[in-house]
Amino acid sequence: MKKEYIMGNSAIALGALCSGVKLVAGYPGTPSTEIIETICKVPHKGVHLEWSVNEKAAMEVAAAGAYAGARTMVTMKQVGLNVASDPLMSLAYVGVRGGMVIVVADDPGPISSQTEQDTRRFASFCRIPVLDPSSPEEAFDMVKDAFVLSEKYHTPVILRPTTRVCHGYASISFDENYEAKDPSGFEKDSSKWVIFPKLSYNNHRLIEERLPVIAEDLSSYGYNRIIKDSKKSCKAVLASGISLAYVRECTSNLDLKVIGIASAFPLPKRFLLEALNGVDELICFEELSPFLEEELLKLCGEHQLKIRIKGKLTGDVPHSGELGVNKVQSILNKFLGRNDKSEGISFTEKIPDPPQRPPVLCAGCPHRGSFYAVKVATGRKKTYLCGDIGCYTLGNALPLDMVDTCLCMGAGITMAQGFNHLDKEAKSFAFIGDSTFFASGISGIVNAVYNEADITVCILDNATTAMTGHQPHPGTGFNLQGNYVDKIDIESVLKGIGVKKVMTVNPHDLKASVAAVKECMKVDGVKAIIFRAPCISIVKLKDKCRVMDKCSNCNICINKLGCPAMSLKNDKVVIDESLCVGCTLCAQLCPHKAIERIHHE
Protein backbone atom coordinates (compact mmCIF):
# COMPACT_ATOMS: atom_id res chain seq x y z
CA MET A 1 0.00 0.00 0.00
CA LYS A 2 1.13 3.53 -0.77
CA LYS A 3 0.20 6.55 1.33
CA GLU A 4 0.10 10.07 -0.10
CA TYR A 5 -1.11 13.47 1.03
CA ILE A 6 -3.28 14.47 -1.89
CA MET A 7 -6.07 16.77 -3.07
CA GLY A 8 -9.69 15.57 -3.00
CA ASN A 9 -9.87 15.55 -6.80
CA SER A 10 -6.75 13.37 -6.86
CA ALA A 11 -8.41 11.05 -4.33
CA ILE A 12 -11.35 10.66 -6.72
CA ALA A 13 -8.97 9.95 -9.59
CA LEU A 14 -7.04 7.31 -7.63
CA GLY A 15 -10.27 5.80 -6.37
CA ALA A 16 -11.39 5.35 -9.97
CA LEU A 17 -8.04 3.83 -11.01
CA CYS A 18 -8.14 1.45 -8.03
CA SER A 19 -11.63 0.44 -9.18
CA GLY A 20 -10.34 -0.62 -12.59
CA VAL A 21 -11.78 2.29 -14.57
CA LYS A 22 -11.21 1.80 -18.30
CA LEU A 23 -12.35 5.09 -19.82
CA VAL A 24 -12.47 8.61 -18.40
CA ALA A 25 -13.82 11.62 -20.29
CA GLY A 26 -14.71 15.13 -19.25
CA TYR A 27 -14.57 18.84 -19.89
CA PRO A 28 -12.42 21.11 -17.69
CA GLY A 29 -14.29 23.20 -15.16
CA THR A 30 -13.41 24.39 -11.66
CA PRO A 31 -13.66 22.71 -9.16
CA SER A 32 -13.51 19.36 -11.02
CA THR A 33 -10.55 19.82 -13.40
CA GLU A 34 -7.80 18.09 -11.39
CA ILE A 35 -9.54 14.70 -11.48
CA ILE A 36 -8.61 14.01 -15.09
CA GLU A 37 -5.31 15.87 -14.76
CA THR A 38 -4.31 13.55 -11.91
CA ILE A 39 -5.05 10.43 -13.95
CA CYS A 40 -3.02 11.91 -16.80
CA LYS A 41 0.00 12.37 -14.52
CA VAL A 42 0.02 8.95 -12.83
CA PRO A 43 0.46 5.56 -14.54
CA HIS A 44 -2.81 4.75 -16.29
CA LYS A 45 -1.94 2.03 -18.78
CA GLY A 46 -4.97 0.70 -20.58
CA VAL A 47 -7.16 3.66 -19.63
CA HIS A 48 -8.57 5.82 -22.42
CA LEU A 49 -8.41 9.40 -21.20
CA GLU A 50 -9.77 12.46 -22.99
CA TRP A 51 -10.80 16.05 -22.71
CA SER A 52 -13.94 16.00 -24.78
CA VAL A 53 -15.14 19.08 -26.68
CA ASN A 54 -17.94 19.53 -24.15
CA GLU A 55 -19.74 17.69 -21.34
CA LYS A 56 -22.40 16.24 -23.62
CA ALA A 57 -19.78 14.56 -25.78
CA ALA A 58 -17.96 13.30 -22.68
CA MET A 59 -21.15 11.79 -21.27
CA GLU A 60 -21.88 10.00 -24.54
CA VAL A 61 -18.34 8.64 -24.90
CA ALA A 62 -18.44 7.28 -21.35
CA ALA A 63 -21.93 5.83 -21.86
CA ALA A 64 -20.78 3.82 -24.87
CA GLY A 65 -17.91 2.41 -22.84
CA ALA A 66 -20.32 1.39 -20.08
CA TYR A 67 -22.65 -0.20 -22.65
CA ALA A 68 -19.67 -2.35 -23.64
CA GLY A 69 -19.23 -3.47 -20.04
CA ALA A 70 -16.32 -1.23 -19.07
CA ARG A 71 -16.09 0.83 -15.91
CA THR A 72 -16.21 4.44 -17.07
CA MET A 73 -16.17 7.85 -15.44
CA VAL A 74 -17.14 11.27 -16.72
CA THR A 75 -16.20 14.50 -14.93
CA MET A 76 -17.58 18.04 -15.01
CA LYS A 77 -18.66 20.95 -12.85
CA GLN A 78 -22.27 21.63 -11.98
CA VAL A 79 -23.07 23.92 -14.90
CA GLY A 80 -21.50 21.35 -17.21
CA LEU A 81 -24.24 18.96 -16.21
CA ASN A 82 -26.69 21.33 -17.89
CA VAL A 83 -24.83 20.74 -21.16
CA ALA A 84 -24.81 16.98 -20.58
CA SER A 85 -28.41 16.79 -19.40
CA ASP A 86 -29.77 15.66 -22.76
CA PRO A 87 -27.88 12.33 -22.90
CA LEU A 88 -28.10 11.99 -19.10
CA MET A 89 -31.89 11.92 -19.00
CA SER A 90 -32.08 9.20 -21.66
CA LEU A 91 -29.17 7.30 -20.16
CA ALA A 92 -31.06 7.06 -16.87
CA TYR A 93 -33.77 5.16 -18.76
CA VAL A 94 -31.50 2.98 -20.89
CA GLY A 95 -29.07 2.10 -18.09
CA VAL A 96 -25.56 0.63 -18.30
CA ARG A 97 -23.74 -2.71 -18.09
CA GLY A 98 -20.34 -1.65 -16.79
CA GLY A 99 -20.19 0.68 -13.81
CA MET A 100 -20.52 4.34 -14.80
CA VAL A 101 -19.75 7.14 -12.36
CA ILE A 102 -20.68 10.72 -13.18
CA VAL A 103 -18.61 13.10 -11.07
CA VAL A 104 -20.29 16.50 -10.87
CA ALA A 105 -18.50 19.03 -8.66
CA ASP A 106 -20.80 21.63 -7.13
CA ASP A 107 -19.52 25.11 -6.37
CA PRO A 108 -21.16 26.71 -3.30
CA GLY A 109 -20.12 30.31 -2.98
CA PRO A 110 -19.87 30.31 -5.94
CA ILE A 111 -16.11 30.64 -6.34
CA SER A 112 -15.86 30.29 -10.11
CA SER A 113 -19.32 29.63 -11.51
CA GLN A 114 -22.33 31.47 -12.85
CA THR A 115 -24.83 29.53 -10.69
CA GLU A 116 -25.19 27.89 -7.26
CA GLN A 117 -27.26 25.01 -8.61
CA ASP A 118 -27.48 21.76 -6.65
CA THR A 119 -26.72 18.52 -8.46
CA ARG A 120 -28.81 16.56 -5.95
CA ARG A 121 -31.84 18.16 -7.65
CA PHE A 122 -30.61 16.78 -10.97
CA ALA A 123 -30.17 13.33 -9.41
CA SER A 124 -33.76 13.35 -8.20
CA PHE A 125 -34.98 14.77 -11.53
CA CYS A 126 -33.32 12.07 -13.63
CA ARG A 127 -33.84 9.32 -10.99
CA ILE A 128 -30.16 8.47 -10.58
CA PRO A 129 -28.56 7.69 -7.16
CA VAL A 130 -26.17 10.31 -5.78
CA LEU A 131 -23.37 9.94 -3.22
CA ASP A 132 -22.23 13.01 -1.32
CA PRO A 133 -18.72 12.79 0.26
CA SER A 134 -17.79 15.06 3.17
CA SER A 135 -14.00 14.71 2.86
CA PRO A 136 -11.28 13.60 0.40
CA GLU A 137 -11.06 10.27 2.26
CA GLU A 138 -14.76 9.66 1.76
CA ALA A 139 -14.52 10.74 -1.88
CA PHE A 140 -11.82 8.10 -2.43
CA ASP A 141 -14.01 5.38 -0.89
CA MET A 142 -17.26 6.54 -2.43
CA VAL A 143 -16.05 6.54 -6.02
CA LYS A 144 -15.30 2.84 -5.55
CA ASP A 145 -18.69 2.29 -3.89
CA ALA A 146 -20.37 4.14 -6.75
CA PHE A 147 -18.97 1.71 -9.33
CA VAL A 148 -20.30 -1.23 -7.30
CA LEU A 149 -23.72 0.38 -6.90
CA SER A 150 -23.84 1.23 -10.61
CA GLU A 151 -23.16 -2.35 -11.68
CA LYS A 152 -25.53 -3.82 -9.09
CA TYR A 153 -28.50 -1.80 -10.33
CA HIS A 154 -27.38 -1.13 -13.94
CA THR A 155 -27.67 2.61 -13.52
CA PRO A 156 -25.18 5.47 -13.68
CA VAL A 157 -24.35 6.86 -10.24
CA ILE A 158 -23.53 10.49 -9.54
CA LEU A 159 -20.68 11.39 -7.17
CA ARG A 160 -21.21 14.96 -6.02
CA PRO A 161 -18.21 16.53 -4.26
CA THR A 162 -18.25 20.26 -3.53
CA THR A 163 -15.38 22.74 -3.81
CA ARG A 164 -13.94 22.20 -0.33
CA VAL A 165 -13.92 18.43 -0.81
CA CYS A 166 -12.41 18.74 -4.30
CA HIS A 167 -9.64 21.09 -3.18
CA GLY A 168 -9.14 19.87 0.40
CA TYR A 169 -6.18 17.62 1.22
CA ALA A 170 -5.89 14.33 3.13
CA SER A 171 -3.61 11.33 3.50
CA ILE A 172 -4.92 8.47 1.37
CA SER A 173 -3.68 4.87 1.40
CA PHE A 174 -4.12 2.99 -1.83
CA ASP A 175 -2.84 -0.01 -3.78
CA GLU A 176 -0.72 1.49 -6.54
CA ASN A 177 -0.80 -1.77 -8.51
CA TYR A 178 -4.10 -0.85 -10.07
CA GLU A 179 -5.12 -2.21 -13.47
CA ALA A 180 -7.87 -1.23 -15.87
CA LYS A 181 -10.52 -3.91 -16.09
CA ASP A 182 -11.09 -5.18 -19.62
CA PRO A 183 -14.73 -4.93 -20.67
CA SER A 184 -16.78 -7.98 -21.57
CA GLY A 185 -17.77 -6.36 -24.87
CA PHE A 186 -20.90 -4.86 -26.33
CA GLU A 187 -23.80 -7.24 -26.90
CA LYS A 188 -26.13 -6.06 -29.61
CA ASP A 189 -29.74 -5.91 -28.44
CA SER A 190 -31.85 -3.16 -29.96
CA SER A 191 -34.65 -3.90 -27.50
CA LYS A 192 -32.32 -2.73 -24.72
CA TRP A 193 -30.01 -0.13 -26.21
CA VAL A 194 -32.28 1.67 -28.70
CA ILE A 195 -34.53 4.04 -26.80
CA PHE A 196 -37.99 3.71 -28.34
CA PRO A 197 -41.15 4.99 -26.61
CA LYS A 198 -42.19 1.50 -25.49
CA LEU A 199 -38.77 0.92 -23.89
CA SER A 200 -38.96 4.30 -22.15
CA TYR A 201 -42.40 3.48 -20.74
CA ASN A 202 -41.29 0.10 -19.41
CA ASN A 203 -37.98 1.35 -18.05
CA HIS A 204 -39.58 4.33 -16.32
CA ARG A 205 -41.80 1.92 -14.43
CA LEU A 206 -38.81 -0.28 -13.55
CA ILE A 207 -36.80 2.72 -12.37
CA GLU A 208 -39.55 3.82 -9.99
CA GLU A 209 -39.88 0.26 -8.68
CA ARG A 210 -36.12 0.04 -8.22
CA LEU A 211 -35.60 3.29 -6.29
CA PRO A 212 -37.13 2.03 -2.99
CA VAL A 213 -34.95 -1.07 -3.28
CA ILE A 214 -31.83 1.10 -3.69
CA ALA A 215 -32.99 3.29 -0.80
CA GLU A 216 -33.32 0.23 1.41
CA ASP A 217 -29.88 -0.95 0.29
CA LEU A 218 -28.39 2.47 1.09
CA SER A 219 -29.97 2.40 4.55
CA SER A 220 -27.22 -0.06 5.42
CA TYR A 221 -24.49 1.98 3.71
CA GLY A 222 -21.70 2.71 6.16
CA TYR A 223 -21.45 6.41 5.36
CA ASN A 224 -25.10 6.94 6.31
CA ARG A 225 -24.47 6.90 10.04
CA ILE A 226 -25.08 8.37 13.47
CA ILE A 227 -21.83 10.18 14.16
CA LYS A 228 -22.65 11.20 17.70
CA ASP A 229 -25.53 10.10 19.93
CA SER A 230 -27.09 11.61 23.04
CA LYS A 231 -29.19 10.01 25.74
CA LYS A 232 -30.05 13.35 27.37
CA SER A 233 -30.87 15.71 24.51
CA CYS A 234 -33.81 15.40 22.12
CA LYS A 235 -32.11 17.77 19.70
CA ALA A 236 -30.27 16.57 16.61
CA VAL A 237 -28.22 17.87 13.72
CA LEU A 238 -28.40 16.34 10.26
CA ALA A 239 -25.78 17.20 7.67
CA SER A 240 -24.31 15.99 4.41
CA GLY A 241 -21.27 16.67 2.27
CA ILE A 242 -18.74 19.21 3.48
CA SER A 243 -21.38 20.61 5.87
CA LEU A 244 -21.02 17.41 7.87
CA ALA A 245 -17.30 18.11 8.28
CA TYR A 246 -18.10 21.59 9.63
CA VAL A 247 -20.71 20.16 12.01
CA ARG A 248 -18.27 17.55 13.32
CA GLU A 249 -15.75 20.27 14.16
CA CYS A 250 -18.36 22.25 16.11
CA THR A 251 -20.14 19.50 18.04
CA SER A 252 -17.36 17.57 19.76
CA ASN A 253 -18.25 19.13 23.14
CA LEU A 254 -22.00 19.40 22.61
CA ASP A 255 -24.65 17.05 23.92
CA LEU A 256 -26.83 16.32 20.89
CA LYS A 257 -27.25 13.70 18.18
CA VAL A 258 -25.38 14.16 14.89
CA ILE A 259 -26.65 12.31 11.81
CA GLY A 260 -24.62 12.09 8.60
CA ILE A 261 -26.24 11.45 5.23
CA ALA A 262 -24.06 10.33 2.32
CA SER A 263 -26.77 9.30 -0.15
CA ALA A 264 -29.20 12.15 -0.59
CA PHE A 265 -31.12 10.36 -3.36
CA PRO A 266 -32.82 7.98 -3.05
CA LEU A 267 -33.28 8.87 0.62
CA PRO A 268 -32.28 6.03 3.00
CA LYS A 269 -35.63 6.09 4.79
CA ARG A 270 -35.18 3.06 7.05
CA PHE A 271 -31.90 4.40 8.38
CA LEU A 272 -33.37 7.84 8.97
CA LEU A 273 -36.45 6.54 10.75
CA GLU A 274 -34.18 4.65 13.13
CA ALA A 275 -31.83 7.63 13.53
CA LEU A 276 -34.70 10.03 14.28
CA ASN A 277 -35.96 7.93 17.18
CA GLY A 278 -36.17 10.14 20.29
CA VAL A 279 -35.56 13.38 18.38
CA ASP A 280 -38.09 16.22 18.73
CA GLU A 281 -36.13 19.06 17.14
CA LEU A 282 -33.57 18.90 14.32
CA ILE A 283 -31.58 21.35 12.24
CA CYS A 284 -30.29 20.57 8.72
CA PHE A 285 -26.94 21.78 7.50
CA GLU A 286 -26.47 21.50 3.76
CA GLU A 287 -25.06 23.86 1.14
CA LEU A 288 -26.96 25.09 -1.89
CA SER A 289 -30.60 23.96 -1.78
CA PRO A 290 -32.74 22.63 1.14
CA PHE A 291 -32.86 19.22 -0.52
CA LEU A 292 -32.55 17.02 2.58
CA GLU A 293 -34.68 19.41 4.62
CA GLU A 294 -37.57 18.99 2.18
CA GLU A 295 -37.11 15.21 2.06
CA LEU A 296 -37.16 15.10 5.88
CA LEU A 297 -40.38 17.09 6.00
CA LYS A 298 -41.98 14.62 3.60
CA LEU A 299 -40.68 11.68 5.63
CA CYS A 300 -42.01 13.13 8.90
CA GLY A 301 -45.38 13.80 7.29
CA GLU A 302 -45.53 10.32 5.78
CA HIS A 303 -44.84 8.70 9.18
CA GLN A 304 -46.54 11.37 11.33
CA LEU A 305 -43.37 12.10 13.27
CA LYS A 306 -43.64 15.10 15.58
CA ILE A 307 -40.22 16.58 14.88
CA ARG A 308 -39.60 20.27 14.37
CA ILE A 309 -37.32 20.60 11.34
CA LYS A 310 -35.16 23.72 10.99
CA GLY A 311 -32.88 24.79 8.20
CA LYS A 312 -32.99 26.94 5.09
CA LEU A 313 -36.78 26.84 4.80
CA THR A 314 -37.21 28.28 8.31
CA GLY A 315 -34.51 30.90 7.76
CA ASP A 316 -32.19 29.41 10.37
CA VAL A 317 -29.58 28.47 7.75
CA PRO A 318 -28.74 30.82 4.85
CA HIS A 319 -29.97 29.78 1.41
CA SER A 320 -26.95 30.98 -0.56
CA GLY A 321 -23.20 30.80 -0.22
CA GLU A 322 -20.84 28.49 1.62
CA LEU A 323 -21.35 27.62 5.27
CA GLY A 324 -17.93 27.25 6.95
CA VAL A 325 -17.12 26.34 10.53
CA ASN A 326 -17.75 29.79 12.03
CA LYS A 327 -21.14 30.11 10.41
CA VAL A 328 -22.20 26.63 11.51
CA GLN A 329 -20.99 27.36 15.05
CA SER A 330 -23.04 30.54 15.23
CA ILE A 331 -26.20 28.84 13.91
CA LEU A 332 -25.73 25.94 16.32
CA ASN A 333 -25.38 28.30 19.28
CA LYS A 334 -28.70 29.90 18.36
CA PHE A 335 -30.31 26.47 17.86
CA LEU A 336 -29.16 25.40 21.35
CA GLY A 337 -29.97 28.74 23.00
CA ARG A 338 -26.31 29.45 23.75
CA ASN A 339 -24.59 32.81 23.97
CA ASP A 340 -22.94 33.34 20.60
CA LYS A 341 -20.05 35.34 22.07
CA SER A 342 -19.23 33.52 25.28
CA GLU A 343 -19.77 29.90 24.34
CA GLY A 344 -18.61 27.60 21.65
CA ILE A 345 -15.42 27.66 19.67
CA SER A 346 -14.39 30.73 17.72
CA PHE A 347 -12.24 30.03 14.69
CA THR A 348 -12.11 33.64 13.57
CA GLU A 349 -8.64 34.34 14.94
CA LYS A 350 -7.19 31.14 13.55
CA ILE A 351 -8.23 31.55 9.93
CA PRO A 352 -6.97 34.69 8.15
CA ASP A 353 -9.04 36.14 5.34
CA PRO A 354 -7.76 35.10 1.92
CA PRO A 355 -5.99 37.84 -0.06
CA GLN A 356 -8.26 39.81 -2.37
CA ARG A 357 -7.52 39.27 -6.05
CA PRO A 358 -9.60 41.46 -8.33
CA PRO A 359 -10.77 39.71 -11.52
CA VAL A 360 -8.65 41.23 -14.26
CA LEU A 361 -6.96 40.15 -17.49
CA CYS A 362 -3.29 39.28 -16.91
CA ALA A 363 -0.59 41.78 -17.89
CA GLY A 364 0.16 41.15 -21.55
CA CYS A 365 -2.97 39.02 -22.12
CA PRO A 366 -3.70 39.14 -25.86
CA HIS A 367 -7.41 39.49 -25.11
CA ARG A 368 -6.82 43.05 -23.88
CA GLY A 369 -5.64 44.05 -27.36
CA SER A 370 -8.63 42.30 -28.96
CA PHE A 371 -11.18 44.11 -26.82
CA TYR A 372 -9.41 47.44 -27.21
CA ALA A 373 -9.25 47.09 -31.00
CA VAL A 374 -13.02 46.58 -31.18
CA LYS A 375 -13.52 49.51 -28.82
CA VAL A 376 -11.43 51.81 -31.01
CA ALA A 377 -12.95 50.57 -34.28
CA THR A 378 -16.56 50.94 -33.15
CA GLY A 379 -15.98 54.36 -31.53
CA ARG A 380 -19.32 55.99 -30.73
CA LYS A 381 -21.39 53.53 -32.76
CA LYS A 382 -24.22 51.79 -30.96
CA THR A 383 -23.04 48.27 -30.13
CA TYR A 384 -24.11 45.09 -28.39
CA LEU A 385 -21.11 43.28 -26.92
CA CYS A 386 -21.89 39.67 -26.02
CA GLY A 387 -19.31 37.84 -23.95
CA ASP A 388 -18.85 34.21 -23.00
CA ILE A 389 -17.56 32.00 -20.22
CA GLY A 390 -13.77 32.08 -19.80
CA CYS A 391 -10.97 34.64 -19.53
CA TYR A 392 -12.76 36.87 -22.03
CA THR A 393 -15.49 37.47 -19.42
CA LEU A 394 -12.90 39.73 -17.80
CA GLY A 395 -13.27 42.16 -20.71
CA ASN A 396 -16.20 43.60 -18.76
CA ALA A 397 -13.85 45.26 -16.24
CA LEU A 398 -13.05 48.95 -16.48
CA PRO A 399 -11.50 50.64 -18.31
CA LEU A 400 -12.18 48.21 -21.20
CA ASP A 401 -15.91 47.76 -20.36
CA MET A 402 -16.40 45.58 -23.45
CA VAL A 403 -18.81 42.86 -22.26
CA ASP A 404 -22.50 43.71 -22.04
CA THR A 405 -23.79 40.15 -21.52
CA CYS A 406 -22.50 36.79 -20.32
CA LEU A 407 -24.99 33.97 -19.87
CA CYS A 408 -23.38 30.59 -20.47
CA MET A 409 -20.90 28.87 -22.79
CA GLY A 410 -21.63 29.63 -26.44
CA ALA A 411 -24.45 32.05 -25.65
CA GLY A 412 -22.46 35.11 -26.72
CA ILE A 413 -22.87 34.16 -30.38
CA THR A 414 -26.57 33.43 -30.23
CA MET A 415 -27.37 36.42 -28.03
CA ALA A 416 -25.61 38.72 -30.51
CA GLN A 417 -28.04 37.32 -33.10
CA GLY A 418 -31.00 38.12 -30.89
CA PHE A 419 -29.89 41.73 -30.49
CA ASN A 420 -29.25 42.03 -34.22
CA HIS A 421 -32.70 40.75 -35.18
CA LEU A 422 -34.27 43.42 -32.97
CA ASP A 423 -31.99 46.35 -33.73
CA LYS A 424 -30.57 46.56 -37.25
CA GLU A 425 -28.94 49.94 -36.65
CA ALA A 426 -26.52 48.72 -34.00
CA LYS A 427 -23.44 46.56 -34.47
CA SER A 428 -23.54 43.23 -32.64
CA PHE A 429 -20.32 41.55 -31.57
CA ALA A 430 -19.76 38.14 -29.98
CA PHE A 431 -16.56 37.32 -28.10
CA ILE A 432 -15.65 33.66 -27.65
CA GLY A 433 -12.47 31.69 -26.94
CA ASP A 434 -10.91 28.98 -29.09
CA SER A 435 -11.79 26.15 -26.69
CA THR A 436 -15.32 27.46 -26.26
CA PHE A 437 -15.63 27.74 -30.05
CA PHE A 438 -15.24 23.97 -30.23
CA ALA A 439 -17.34 23.32 -27.10
CA SER A 440 -20.50 25.08 -28.16
CA GLY A 441 -19.71 27.97 -30.48
CA ILE A 442 -19.89 26.24 -33.84
CA SER A 443 -23.59 25.42 -33.67
CA GLY A 444 -24.37 29.05 -32.79
CA ILE A 445 -22.47 30.29 -35.84
CA VAL A 446 -24.33 27.81 -38.05
CA ASN A 447 -27.56 29.26 -36.65
CA ALA A 448 -26.39 32.79 -37.40
CA VAL A 449 -25.53 31.96 -41.01
CA TYR A 450 -28.74 30.03 -41.59
CA ASN A 451 -30.96 32.75 -40.10
CA GLU A 452 -29.18 35.60 -41.91
CA ALA A 453 -27.89 37.42 -38.86
CA ASP A 454 -25.54 40.37 -39.25
CA ILE A 455 -22.95 39.91 -36.51
CA THR A 456 -19.20 39.93 -36.03
CA VAL A 457 -17.78 36.95 -34.18
CA CYS A 458 -14.48 37.65 -32.42
CA ILE A 459 -12.64 34.42 -31.66
CA LEU A 460 -9.98 35.10 -29.05
CA ASP A 461 -7.59 32.27 -29.91
CA ASN A 462 -4.84 31.92 -27.29
CA ALA A 463 -4.06 28.29 -28.19
CA THR A 464 -5.30 26.77 -24.95
CA THR A 465 -8.14 26.45 -22.46
CA ALA A 466 -6.65 29.08 -20.20
CA MET A 467 -9.00 29.72 -17.29
CA THR A 468 -9.17 26.08 -16.15
CA GLY A 469 -5.44 25.37 -16.40
CA HIS A 470 -4.32 25.19 -20.05
CA GLN A 471 -5.95 21.99 -21.23
CA PRO A 472 -5.64 21.03 -24.93
CA HIS A 473 -8.55 21.25 -27.37
CA PRO A 474 -9.06 20.30 -31.05
CA GLY A 475 -7.29 23.48 -32.20
CA THR A 476 -4.04 22.88 -30.28
CA GLY A 477 -2.71 19.93 -32.29
CA PHE A 478 -2.30 17.48 -29.40
CA ASN A 479 -4.61 15.61 -27.07
CA LEU A 480 -4.64 14.52 -23.45
CA GLN A 481 -3.05 11.17 -24.32
CA GLY A 482 0.04 13.18 -25.34
CA ASN A 483 -0.39 12.37 -29.02
CA TYR A 484 0.12 14.92 -31.78
CA VAL A 485 -3.08 15.09 -33.82
CA ASP A 486 -4.33 17.03 -36.82
CA LYS A 487 -5.37 20.51 -35.79
CA ILE A 488 -8.96 21.44 -36.50
CA ASP A 489 -8.45 24.65 -38.43
CA ILE A 490 -10.84 27.34 -37.18
CA GLU A 491 -10.62 29.39 -40.39
CA SER A 492 -11.56 26.36 -42.50
CA VAL A 493 -14.47 25.52 -40.20
CA LEU A 494 -15.79 29.07 -40.42
CA LYS A 495 -15.50 29.15 -44.19
CA GLY A 496 -17.04 25.71 -44.46
CA ILE A 497 -20.19 26.72 -42.60
CA GLY A 498 -20.68 29.83 -44.70
CA VAL A 499 -19.19 32.75 -42.77
CA LYS A 500 -18.97 35.66 -45.25
CA LYS A 501 -15.54 36.96 -44.26
CA VAL A 502 -12.83 35.46 -42.06
CA MET A 503 -9.79 37.48 -40.99
CA THR A 504 -6.91 36.49 -38.74
CA VAL A 505 -4.86 39.09 -36.90
CA ASN A 506 -2.37 39.37 -34.04
CA PRO A 507 -4.11 41.30 -31.24
CA HIS A 508 -0.76 42.69 -30.10
CA ASP A 509 -0.69 44.62 -33.41
CA LEU A 510 -3.15 47.36 -32.53
CA LYS A 511 -3.19 49.10 -35.93
CA ALA A 512 -3.83 45.88 -37.87
CA SER A 513 -6.44 44.72 -35.37
CA VAL A 514 -8.43 47.95 -35.59
CA ALA A 515 -8.25 47.81 -39.39
CA ALA A 516 -9.53 44.22 -39.40
CA VAL A 517 -12.53 45.14 -37.24
CA LYS A 518 -13.39 48.11 -39.44
CA GLU A 519 -13.12 46.01 -42.59
CA CYS A 520 -15.42 43.31 -41.20
CA MET A 521 -17.98 45.88 -40.09
CA LYS A 522 -18.43 46.88 -43.75
CA VAL A 523 -19.54 43.35 -44.69
CA ASP A 524 -23.17 42.31 -44.27
CA GLY A 525 -23.93 38.94 -42.71
CA VAL A 526 -21.83 36.78 -40.42
CA LYS A 527 -18.12 37.57 -40.39
CA ALA A 528 -15.38 36.51 -38.04
CA ILE A 529 -12.09 37.89 -36.79
CA ILE A 530 -9.67 35.43 -35.23
CA PHE A 531 -7.47 37.35 -32.80
CA ARG A 532 -4.60 34.90 -32.51
CA ALA A 533 -1.74 35.10 -30.00
CA PRO A 534 -0.73 32.52 -27.37
CA CYS A 535 -1.67 32.86 -23.72
CA ILE A 536 1.21 34.47 -21.82
CA SER A 537 1.24 31.54 -19.41
CA ILE A 538 2.25 29.03 -22.10
CA VAL A 539 5.06 31.01 -23.75
CA LYS A 540 8.29 32.35 -22.32
CA LEU A 541 8.62 35.98 -23.30
CA LYS A 542 11.82 37.81 -22.44
CA ASP A 543 10.85 41.28 -23.63
CA LYS A 544 9.77 44.02 -21.25
CA CYS A 545 8.52 47.57 -21.68
CA ARG A 546 10.04 50.60 -19.97
CA VAL A 547 8.81 54.15 -19.49
CA MET A 548 11.30 56.73 -20.74
CA ASP A 549 12.06 60.14 -19.29
CA LYS A 550 10.03 61.95 -21.95
CA CYS A 551 6.81 60.55 -20.47
CA SER A 552 4.41 63.47 -19.92
CA ASN A 553 2.28 61.54 -17.40
CA CYS A 554 -0.84 61.94 -19.49
CA ASN A 555 -1.84 58.50 -18.07
CA ILE A 556 -3.53 57.45 -21.33
CA CYS A 557 -1.78 54.08 -21.15
CA ILE A 558 -3.22 53.39 -17.69
CA ASN A 559 -6.65 54.86 -18.24
CA LYS A 560 -7.31 53.14 -21.58
CA LEU A 561 -5.89 49.65 -21.02
CA GLY A 562 -6.03 48.84 -17.31
CA CYS A 563 -2.93 46.64 -17.54
CA PRO A 564 -2.01 45.43 -14.02
CA ALA A 565 1.70 45.89 -14.82
CA MET A 566 1.21 49.68 -15.01
CA SER A 567 0.69 52.01 -12.08
CA LEU A 568 1.53 55.42 -10.70
CA LYS A 569 4.43 55.87 -8.33
CA ASN A 570 5.05 59.36 -6.99
CA ASP A 571 2.71 60.59 -9.76
CA LYS A 572 4.91 58.94 -12.39
CA VAL A 573 3.85 56.09 -14.67
CA VAL A 574 5.86 52.96 -13.91
CA ILE A 575 5.87 49.46 -15.38
CA ASP A 576 6.39 46.47 -13.09
CA GLU A 577 8.89 44.34 -15.02
CA SER A 578 7.98 41.28 -12.96
CA LEU A 579 4.53 41.37 -14.58
CA CYS A 580 5.26 42.92 -17.99
CA VAL A 581 5.74 40.52 -20.92
CA GLY A 582 6.58 43.18 -23.50
CA CYS A 583 3.35 43.01 -25.51
CA THR A 584 3.92 46.72 -26.38
CA LEU A 585 0.24 47.55 -26.48
CA CYS A 586 0.94 50.47 -24.12
CA ALA A 587 3.80 51.64 -26.36
CA GLN A 588 1.57 51.58 -29.43
CA LEU A 589 -1.04 53.61 -27.56
CA CYS A 590 1.31 56.21 -26.11
CA PRO A 591 0.91 59.52 -28.06
CA HIS A 592 4.37 60.68 -27.00
CA LYS A 593 6.30 57.51 -27.89
CA ALA A 594 7.55 57.46 -24.32
CA ILE A 595 7.48 53.68 -23.84
CA GLU A 596 10.10 51.40 -25.35
CA ARG A 597 10.56 47.66 -25.52
CA ILE A 598 13.74 46.18 -24.07
CA HIS A 599 14.99 42.65 -24.52
CA HIS A 600 16.20 40.49 -21.64
CA GLU A 601 18.44 37.53 -22.41
Side-chain angles (χ1 to χ4, degrees), residues 226-282:
I226 298 174
I227 308 245
K228 187 171 183 293
D229 209 347
S230 172
K231 295 180 180 178
K232 297 179 180 177
S233 175
C234 294
K235 292 192 174 187
V237 177
L238 183 143
S240 71
I242 193 64
S243 302
L244 179 59
Y246 302 148
V247 166
R248 294 181 73 166
E249 285 197 51
C250 297
T251 55
S252 59
N253 61 340
L254 300 180
D255 184 27
L256 78 175
K257 180 180 283 188
V258 177
I259 304 168
I261 293 294
S263 58
F265 182 83
L267 196 69
K269 292 184 178 179
R270 177 174 57 81
F271 162 75
L272 272 172
L273 289 172
E274 293 170 1
L276 293 173
N277 185 34
V279 174
D280 61 17
E281 189 175 14
L282 178 147

Side-chain angles (χ1 to χ4, degrees), residues 336-476:
L336 298 171
R338 296 154 56 97
N339 186 322
D340 202 20
K341 294 182 178 178
S342 61
E343 298 182 74
I345 305 168
S346 174
F347 297 88
T348 305
E349 296 178 0
K350 299 178 181 177
I351 306 173
D353 291 332
Q356 296 295 311
R357 181 180 181 274
V360 63
L361 292 169
C362 300
C365 174
H367 298 348
R368 180 174 286 101
S370 308
F371 282 119
Y372 190 69
V374 176
K375 188 168 192 169
V376 171
T378 53
R380 296 179 180 273
K381 290 184 175 65
K382 186 179 182 182
T383 56
Y384 296 104
L385 308 168
C386 301
D388 223 288
I389 303 296
C391 295
Y392 18 90
T393 310
L394 304 175
N396 74 323
L398 293 173
L400 290 174
D401 191 22
M402 287 296 289
V403 175
D404 296 329
T405 69
C406 182
L407 181 64
C408 63
M409 286 184 70
I413 293 171
T414 36
M415 293 189 76
Q417 296 167 46
F419 288 121
N420 170 248
H421 293 317
L422 295 176
D423 186 354
K424 300 294 183 186
E425 301 300 319
K427 296 294 182 184
S428 293
F429 286 82
F431 297 94
I432 190 168
D434 43 341
S435 182
T436 316
F437 169 80
F438 290 109
S440 54
I442 296 174
S443 58
I445 299 174
V446 170
N447 190 71
V449 172
Y450 177 64
N451 290 294
E452 303 178 285
D454 182 10
I455 64 171
T456 302
V457 179
C458 300
I459 300 171
L460 278 51
D461 181 358
N462 61 2
T464 189
T465 312
M467 186 165 267
T468 49
H470 305 105
Q471 292 78 21
H473 61 65
T476 58

